Amino acid sequence: MKSPYIFVMILLCVCSTHADLGLESSGVVINERQFECLYNKYGFDNLMTSVYDPAGFVDETGITNINNAIDGLGDGLKFRTVSMTPCLANCQNNLTSGVDQANAVINRLNKADIVGMIYVKIDKSQPWSSNQQQNQKFIIDILSTILLVLDSTGGNYTYYPGIITNYNSWSSVVGAKFTEASYLASSLWWVNWNGKQDLTTGFTPFGGWSQPMVHQYAGNIINNDCATGINFNYFYTSSDNFLANKNIKKRKKEHYATKTHQKQ
């Protein structure tokens, strides 16, 4: 049975501000006891793991680690979310469209009975097309597929799309002034390893986002006493900017329907 808490964005927490932990653990399984160790050492209650590899396959390690974290921490893990890095060339599963890749993630999460946020990572280091309009459509296809899954499953599952990126990557891939994605994915996970646990230091508005919902302020930290071979990404959230998911989804769906109608 799905916990009702999972329908809430991970950004909602008891306090107004919160620093937490994300794991990029492709290929490395973290068992229940290791999660207990990490929890006792770092005190996190929000967890983000990667479930789609840019080589073009669902990362089963990410799925396993979510389940192990749930089993190991129980009520201690209040919120969890996942990320996907789209495949852009030579995809191992031969899924080349944004729609097909989003559905691959959604279908696997449905099977694992995991619902919540799906963040799409946009990184200029990946082999994006030099055609920004082509990249824009690819990203919109992913976001709209995630957003509309509630309708396609008869209300059994709910997902909310977000974006993980920074100004330089977004500007390079789709252009800083491209704002349509922000209507579908209002939650921006801003990557800037400046060590500042806030949402403003060094942030320049772009893509329609005036402020991030999450700030990844440190990353690729591997030294710990609990598990080996994993990278930590520390992030900071603020519940002051949290909006009810129903209102977010309603606004996104209305905007998407309007934009689709305008293009016809």
Side-chain angles (χ1 to χ4, degrees), residues 146-180:
I146 296 171
L147 181 63
L148 297 178
V149 71
L150 177 65
D151 298 329
S152 65
T153 61
N156 292 322
Y157 293 93
T158 302
Y159 297 98
Y160 298 97
I163 292 288
I164 301 178
T165 193
N166 55 32
Y167 181 91
N168 290 336
S169 284
W170 192 256
S171 299
S172 175
V173 174
V174 296
K177 295 182 179 180
F178 176 65
T179 62
E180 186 172 350

Side-chain angles (χ1 to χ4, degrees), residues 157-211:
Y157 293 93
T158 302
Y159 297 98
Y160 298 97
I163 292 288
I164 301 178
T165 193
N166 55 32
Y167 181 91
N168 290 336
S169 284
W170 192 256
S171 299
S172 175
V173 174
V174 296
K177 295 182 179 180
F178 176 65
T179 62
E180 186 172 350
S182 68
Y183 287 94
L184 300 176
S186 57
S187 179
L188 172 65
W189 189 304
W190 175 47
V191 180
N192 184 6
W193 296 351
N194 60 8
K196 303 294 185 180
Q197 295 184 34
D198 62 37
L199 300 175
T200 57
T201 302
F203 182 77
T204 299
F206 65 94
W209 296 287
S210 59
Q211 182 173 294

Side-chain angles (χ1 to χ4, degrees), residues 40-80:
N40 292 331
K41 185 177 179 66
Y42 300 103
F44 67 94
D45 57 15
N46 298 342
L47 179 66
M48 181 275 288
T49 57
S50 174
V51 297
Y52 198 82
D53 192 278
F57 58 87
V58 173
D59 186 354
E60 290 295 332
T61 304
I63 302 293
T64 299
N65 284 338
I66 292 175
N67 289 326
N68 286 348
I70 294 170
D71 292 339
L73 303 181
D75 293 337
L77 184 63
K78 293 183 176 64
F79 310 107
R80 64 266 196 184

Side-chain angles (χ1 to χ4, degrees), residues 224-242:
N224 70 90
D225 300 326
C226 302
T228 60
I230 61 174
N231 293 331
F232 290 169
N233 291 291
Y234 291 98
F235 56 91
Y236 172 94
T237 66
S238 173
S239 62
D240 294 340
N241 299 316
F242 179 77

Side-chain angles (χ1 to χ4, degrees), residues 17-31:
T17 58
H18 200 64
D20 254 308
L21 178 67
L23 299 176
E24 292 185 341
S25 54
S26 178
V28 179
V29 173
I30 306 171
N31 62 39

Side-chain angles (χ1 to χ4, degrees), residues 67-98:
N67 289 326
N68 286 348
I70 294 170
D71 292 339
L73 303 181
D75 293 337
L77 184 63
K78 293 183 176 64
F79 310 107
R80 64 266 196 184
T81 190
V82 302
S83 68
M84 62 174 291
T85 304
C87 178
L88 304 169
N90 303 316
C91 303
Q92 292 184 20
N93 56 11
N94 295 319
L95 299 181
T96 59
S97 75

